[in-house]
Amino acid sequence: MKPNPHTVKDELLSALPKKSARKRAEQIVVNERRPDGSVPEIKANVRTTPGAITQRGCTYAGCKGVVIGPTRDILSITHGPVGCGFYSWLTRRNQTRPEGPDDANYIPYCLSTDMQDEQIVFGGEKKLRAAIEEAYELFHPKAIAIFSTCPVGLIGDDVHAVARDMKEKLGINVFGFSCEGYKGVSQSAGHHIANNQLFKHVVGTNETPRPENFKINLLGEYNIGGDAFVIEELFERCGITLISTFSGNSTYDAFANSHMADLNAVMCHRSINYVAEMMEKKFGIPWIKVNFVGAEGTAKSLRHIAQYFNDAELTERVEKVISEEMTDVLKTQFAVRSRCEGKTAMLFVGGSRAHHYQMLFAEMGMKTVAAGYEFAHRDDYEGRRVLPTIKVDADSRNIEQLEVHPDETRYMPRRGPSELVQLEAAGMDVAAYQGMMPEMEEGALVIDDIYHFETERLLEIYKPDIFCAGIKEKYAVQKAGIPCKQLHSYDYGGPYAGFRGAINFYNEIDRMVNTKIWQYVQAPWETEEELEVEEIAS
Ligand code: CFM
């Protein structure tokens, strides 16, 4: 029997003390799609209840790991005790492809100032300076980025002053990030901090003209498991020029030159919407939301890009690529549907994938019965139309909000107001994102910042055919006899983006939900033998 989501919600809340339950209730929502297109309000981007086991990461992780980490030729130095650097070293599967033997790639390295008690007491700026000089001598990079960890903020080291001095001394770009782990309620704060500094210190610093046609930036695609490689290849076949990707398979120069693009295509809205907005304001580059997860999403996104440039030849090439790819996609879809139709999935991950991957499951005939984000904001759930109603709390106010104005010489609106209206009339959302909930079924459970206790209860109540989360959840889920697909790292698989990625995903999930292995999972304490031992003991 299908569980009643309202009863499930009450059940999840019943474990909490009254006051906590009242607060938590606002973060658990049963989805409705109202006639005016709105969805229920959900509380998001707020502190986790102390004591709850959260899936979240820290602000440093969002800045150093997520946004800047995938860029191969910015040398990253973690200013702090060695653990922060060590444990964030190569833990995300952002791949990169240097163009030749001379193209720098620092991703395999881990650089840390290794702060000791002495620096905590007397300050760490001197050691940071020495570390930057040493790193420069060793690598001669184009740019160095410094990332602050919790103690740096607590003792008040001025990483920005050090960066300014070293920039002057070394003659390369050096910039710092005040991304102390505690700075926000989750890694989301780190995204914002990374966006700000990239925008201030890098974007627009390389004026090399780009004579090509159909120039775009892809924002919020991090090349996990090679996703960006698939998308890059699609663009190339379509004749779309990719100036830069923020930041999968990216380089410093590409960021610096990114203001030459005529369109920003935003894949992960949560992590990079700030750069999109700031580039619009400063340079006049419009942005649209795209999604290259799922064959349908990929086709739609390519079509929207073509529509934006409004060129017959581009449109023709895009249509040709789509039809070439769709034959195999549909063949695999047909095959897996016979085995997967009607099966159920739950997705609790990050700030954008819990939405995007529902599309892939739908293409296989599978239903998402519950989903949620770790650190998304209300606009990622309900759509950007709720932005004016989002209350700015003390935690958000803590993060710098850059004031951006049109550039005196370089502001050039790529599309006039009437052209933008036309694009919107043709079904394109310019500077808009509809959010996850309007695309979820009525009655689906939406849970923000899910607690581990809730994960376990959901597994027991719904017994979904697959649960998608990360490495911290994976083995607990599998011990419950349910397969877990990691949507952060792809379990060492992928790519899952684009058409070929979709085929990969269909096949992988088909294998996972149809294997018989899980019905043999039995915990040792569930066997008779164990019970007997227990009886003797009692
Ligand atoms: Fe964006 Fe990401 Fe995600 Fe994200 Fe992430 Fe990631 Fe993610 Mo892990 S940038 S919000 S902070 S799509 S690392 S590539 S998988 S939680 S859903």
Side-chain angles (χ1 to χ4, degrees):
M1 215 182 67
K2 234 174 96 185
N4 177 336
H6 296 277
T7 322
V8 176
K9 177 176 172 176
D10 292 342
E11 156 85 28
L12 297 179
L13 294 172
S14 67
L16 295 172
K18 247 200 189 131
K19 203 175 144 200
S20 310
R22 215 169 33 240
K23 277 191 171 170
R24 183 71 182 140
E26 297 175 69
Q27 286 176 280
I28 303 177
V29 164
V30 179
N31 197 38
E32 287 169 48
R33 297 197 303 200
R34 299 169 182 144
D36 67 349
S38 72
V39 290
E41 181 175 334
I42 187 165
K43 193 149 120 191
N45 191 32
V46 291
R47 293 183 189 184
T48 305
T49 310
I53 301 177
T54 171
Q55 299 179 331
R56 283 173 166 177
C58 70
T59 300
Y60 161 79
C63 181
K64 189 260 186 186
V66 173
V67 179
I68 316 290
T71 308
R72 63 176 167 268
D73 59 356
I74 296 179
L75 192 67
S76 294
I77 302 179
T78 297
H79 185 34
V82 75
C84 303
F86 184 80
Y87 291 111
S88 60
W89 180 30
L90 298 180
T91 47
R92 190 158 170 263
R93 289 188 68 229
N94 38 240
Q95 302 184 355
T96 200
R97 193 178 274 160
E99 269 156 26
D102 299 327
D103 192 2
N105 178 13
Y106 308 122
I107 291 179
Y109 292 94
C110 172
L111 285 87
S112 163
T113 53
D114 183 22
M115 281 175 109
Q116 302 292 320
D117 295 0
E118 194 193 322
Q119 284 83 44
I120 301 292
V121 177
F122 299 107
E125 290 178 17
K126 221 170 99 192
K127 199 168 187 191
L128 175 61
R129 256 173 241 274
I132 295 171
E133 281 186 357
E134 189 187 340
Y136 180 75
E137 285 309 315
L138 285 170
F139 297 100
H140 293 281
K142 281 183 183 154
I144 294 180
I146 308 154
F147 301 91
S148 306
T149 57
C150 294
V152 170
L154 296 175
I155 65 172
D157 274 359
D158 189 348
V159 299
H160 305 287
V162 174
R164 267 195 309 274
D165 288 356
M166 297 313 286
K167 181 177 177 178
E168 206 169 299
K169 184 166 178 193
L170 302 174
I172 59 162
N173 202 352
V174 184
F175 40 94
F177 297 85
S178 291
C179 56
E180 293 85 356
Y182 62 78
K183 201 69 183 258
V185 300
S186 69
Q187 52 267 64
S188 163
H191 303 150
H192 195 167
I193 293 163
N195 280 224
N196 285 349
Q197 297 300 81
L198 267 186
F199 188 74
K200 261 200 273 185
H201 296 281
V202 187
V203 170
T205 57
N206 179 342
E207 293 297 341
T208 312
R210 298 294 300 249
E212 302 97 318
N213 283 330
F214 319 128
K215 297 183 286 268
I216 70 164
N217 297 313
L218 180 60
L219 304 189
E221 162 49 57
Y222 300 94
N223 203 19
I224 308 299
D227 277 353
F229 297 147
V230 175
I231 303 170
E232 284 169 17
E233 198 242 4
L234 279 176
F235 286 161
E236 206 182 304
R237 279 165 60 199
C238 293
I240 296 163
T241 309
L242 185 62
I243 303 284
S244 75
T245 300
F246 286 67
S247 57
N249 194 29
S250 64
T251 61
Y252 174 78
D253 286 335
F255 289 160
N257 198 221
S258 59
H259 62 306
M260 294 293 162
D262 292 320
L263 174 70
N264 279 327
V266 176
M267 174 97 169
C268 165
H269 172 265
R270 181 66 269 132
S271 62
I272 208 86
N273 69 85
Y274 318 95
V275 162
E277 268 186 54
M278 292 188 287
M279 286 181 84
E280 208 279 319
K281 278 192 193 141
K282 185 168 178 179
F283 301 108
I285 306 171
W287 68 269
I288 57 168
K289 175 76 177 67
V290 292
N291 170 27
F292 290 99
V293 175
E296 225 174 274
T298 303
K300 190 170 147 193
S301 300
L302 289 174
R303 284 187 177 123
H304 277 175
I305 293 169
Q307 217 175 339
Y308 173 85
F309 287 107
N310 192 21
D311 177 274
E313 203 194 315
L314 175 65
T315 307
E316 200 180 302
R317 277 178 78 166
V318 162
E319 289 304 329
K320 189 163 169 273
V321 168
I322 294 173
S323 68
E324 280 166 7
E325 295 285 333
M326 278 314 264
T327 318
D328 284 347
V329 166
L330 292 175
K331 216 160 64 189
T332 317
Q333 256 183 33
F334 183 75
V336 298
R337 263 178 182 265
S338 64
R339 293 179 295 267
C340 300
E341 188 95 57
K343 289 193 187 290
T344 56
M346 289 187 177
L347 297 83
F348 288 94
V349 53
S352 83
R353 294 190 171 177
H355 179 192
H356 291 162
Y357 278 81
Q358 291 184 39
M359 311 294 140
L360 265 173
F361 280 115
E363 288 173 3
M364 307 176 67
M366 288 177 63
K367 267 179 59 165
T368 301
V369 289
Y373 293 127
E374 287 171 44
F375 51 76
H377 301 196
R378 274 184 63 207
D379 37 323
D380 305 293
Y381 286 103
E382 303 169 51
R384 279 177 70 93
R385 63 172 167 177
V386 304
L387 276 176
T389 64
I390 295 181
K391 282 188 231 96
V392 183
D393 62 8
D395 289 311
S396 309
R397 228 177 316 235
N398 206 13
I399 314 300
E400 187 186 13
Q401 185 75 42
L402 293 187
E403 224 188 281
V404 181
H405 301 288
D407 191 279
E408 273 177 29
T409 53
R410 298 180 294 175
Y411 179 74
M412 188 184 70
R414 309 307 205 259
R415 293 288 179 274
S418 63
E419 286 169 305
L420 292 177
V421 170
Q422 266 176 18
L423 286 171
E424 276 173 20
M428 266 174 80
D429 292 330
V430 182
Y433 173 43
Q434 303 310 323
M436 172 171 85
M437 286 163 67
E439 293 204 292
M440 282 180 79
E441 286 195 27
E442 295 256 338
L445 259 187
V446 185
I447 305 179
D448 181 61
D449 183 21
I450 195 168
Y451 299 169
H452 188 76
F453 154 79
E454 295 164 349
T455 298
E456 293 195 343
R457 288 301 290 133
L458 286 185
L459 294 173
E460 284 163 14
I461 298 168
Y462 282 87
K463 299 184 178 54
D465 293 292
I466 195 160
F467 192 93
C468 299
I471 188 67
K472 301 196 291 294
E473 297 76 39
K474 184 173 176 84
Y475 298 100
V477 172
Q478 293 190 161
K479 281 175 189 167
I482 289 164
C484 177
K485 179 72 198 162
Q486 290 190 64
L487 278 194
H488 302 264
S489 71
Y490 299 164
D491 286 312
Y492 330 107
Y496 296 141
F499 302 105
R500 271 186 299 132
I503 294 174
N504 263 348
F505 192 80
Y506 303 152
N507 285 327
E508 172 109 18
I509 299 300
D510 177 27
R511 274 195 297 272
M512 289 180 82
V513 298
N514 286 305
T515 173
K516 295 211 166 33
I517 193 85
W518 301 106
Q519 67 200 46
Y520 300 116
V521 172
Q522 197 174 29
W525 58 85
E526 287 170 343
T527 65
E528 242 179 90
E529 233 175 303
E530 283 283 321
L531 280 176
E532 276 166 26
V533 173
E534 235 185 76
E535 269 166 23
I536 295 163
S538 66

